[in-house]
Amino acid sequence: MLRSRRRITIPQNLESNAPNLQVLSFASIKEATNNFSNANNLGKGGFCPVYKGRLLKGQEIAVKRLSETSHQGLEEFKNEVELTARLQHVNLVRVLGICTEKEEKMLIYEHMPNKSLDFYIFDANRRYLLDWGRRVQIIEGVTQGLLYLQEYSNFTIVHRDLKAGNILLDKEMNPKISDFGMAKAFTKDEFEANTGRIVGTYGYVPPEYVRKGIYSMKYDVYSYGVLLLQIISGKRTACYYGSSENLTLLEYGYDLWREGEGMEFFDSSLDDSSSPLKLKRCMQVALLCVQENPAERPTMLKVYNMLKGEIEDIPSPKKPAFSVKRDEDEDSNCIIKVKIFSVNDATITQPVPR
């Protein structure tokens, strides 16, 4: 008896929603990537290997290829097909086409020659390539991309895996948000949803999602706050800081900000051309984004206005999420927060009790 083989089909309305989407042949992708050679392997995007390629017309591409035999990542792949092709913004990585021939499942993207943000900010030498001007450019681009997803696209999109590794850089070092495999779409009248399957990356996932599986636009606001702290400090969430080295990145930043010593937090590779006032503003906004209560985190529209200086009276942030300490002026009845050990870029995929 012949066994039927599972295959992804292209949604009927996908091409109408993304008229520039190409359906590419397996032979053309195989030739473009030199038969998916190891030399062209760019790493992994979610659950899939990604290959660099060049089409016959000379266009450079990145090919995300899901294994034929593995079902891991299948739902993420389908999700990315249905979502990403509909999104058009200068700060989102553009999908060029798809290939489902020969039971293949491949997405074809524009190639981003300058790798991802984490390639620079966490490296002792390459961080110097990101001066303050470039970091401002990256911050503004990521902010604009998220603002589009939350306010200006046809659906409200929650990315759920915003991190330094998913911020890709084009030839002018402009940032583009990538990897929408875990993203979820809301209609404009929806505000939050609940899931029993927790996915994401340690260090970027907010407390309400870890504990209850609740996600909303404030999920990405939290991840954005973590990312912003990393951009201005060059520090990882996987390490501990402070004189006794027992503070998470969020706690360390908050303590320095509250003590008026924010300059100690900033990346030492930044030179005198950096603006202390703008750095401190970024730090304060980032700390507002990582507060425990999602209702107290700003919207991305407010984040944009605060960073632009259009809101001068910026609130004072409260203790960040996942802190094991309490402010002296907090309610004495408050519960000490659960601490999650943060492993940068370690992916979470686990059930949560409901």
Side-chain angles (χ1 to χ4, degrees), residues 150 153-157 184-192 217:
Q150 295 193 359
S153 64
N154 290 332
F155 291 88
T156 298
I157 308 295
K184 293 294 181 182
F186 290 103
T187 58
K188 289 300 182 180
D189 59 347
E190 291 180 296
F191 297 99
E192 67 177 37
M217 290 188 292

Side-chain angles (χ1 to χ4, degrees), residues 200-299:
T201 301
Y202 283 113
Y204 295 89
V205 181
E208 69 275 10
Y209 187 67
V210 172
R211 295 167 185 160
K212 299 179 181 179
I214 295 173
Y215 61 92
S216 67
M217 290 188 292
K218 296 301 181 72
Y219 181 121
D220 284 350
V221 171
Y222 180 91
S223 302
Y224 172 88
V226 176
L227 180 64
L228 186 50
L229 289 173
Q230 291 179 325
I231 292 172
I232 63 177
S233 70
K235 295 177 172 62
R236 295 180 179 271
T237 56
C239 303
Y240 290 92
Y241 305 95
S243 56
S244 56
E245 294 190 349
N246 64 348
L247 298 177
T248 65
L249 177 65
L250 308 190
E251 291 174 310
Y252 179 59
Y254 176 77
D255 282 1
L256 289 176
W257 176 83
R258 193 172 64 165
E259 294 165 7
E261 298 177 359
M263 295 303 293
E264 292 185 23
F265 183 75
F266 305 136
D267 194 337
S268 59
S269 70
L270 294 173
D271 57 25
D272 294 337
S273 66
S274 309
S275 167
L277 183 62
K278 289 184 178 180
L279 275 166
K280 289 177 181 177
R281 180 180 290 267
C282 286
M283 187 176 183
Q284 187 172 352
V285 171
L287 290 170
L288 286 171
C289 292
V290 297
Q291 293 178 114
E292 181 85 15
N293 185 350
E296 294 178 338
R297 298 172 207 152
T299 64

Side-chain angles (χ1 to χ4, degrees), residues 90-109:
V90 68
N91 294 117
L92 306 182
V93 171
R94 188 160 56 97
V95 178
L96 303 176
I98 187 171
C99 175
T100 56
E101 187 183 331
K102 297 181 181 292
E103 303 301 318
E104 289 285 347
K105 309 168 189 69
M106 292 188 284
L107 276 172
I108 295 84
Y109 296 87

Side-chain angles (χ1 to χ4, degrees), residues 293-307:
N293 185 350
E296 294 178 338
R297 298 172 207 152
T299 64
M300 284 309 302
L301 186 57
K302 284 188 176 178
V303 166
Y304 173 80
N305 289 330
M306 286 189 288
L307 291 178

Side-chain angles (χ1 to χ4, degrees), residues 149-216:
L149 294 175
Q150 295 193 359
E151 300 287 344
Y152 302 121
S153 64
N154 290 332
F155 291 88
T156 298
I157 308 295
V158 181
H159 187 279
R160 294 202 303 171
D161 201 22
L162 186 72
K163 59 184 178 182
N166 282 339
I167 305 300
L168 304 186
L169 302 169
D170 69 11
K171 60 182 179 180
E172 283 86 28
M173 300 295 281
N174 294 307
K176 302 200 178 193
I177 300 170
S178 69
D179 204 340
F180 283 76
M182 298 178 187
K184 293 294 181 182
F186 290 103
T187 58
K188 289 300 182 180
D189 59 347
E190 291 180 296
F191 297 99
E192 67 177 37
N194 189 280
T195 181
R197 181 171 175 256
I198 299 300
V199 294
T201 301
Y202 283 113
Y204 295 89
V205 181
E208 69 275 10
Y209 187 67
V210 172
R211 295 167 185 160
K212 299 179 181 179
I214 295 173
Y215 61 92
S216 67

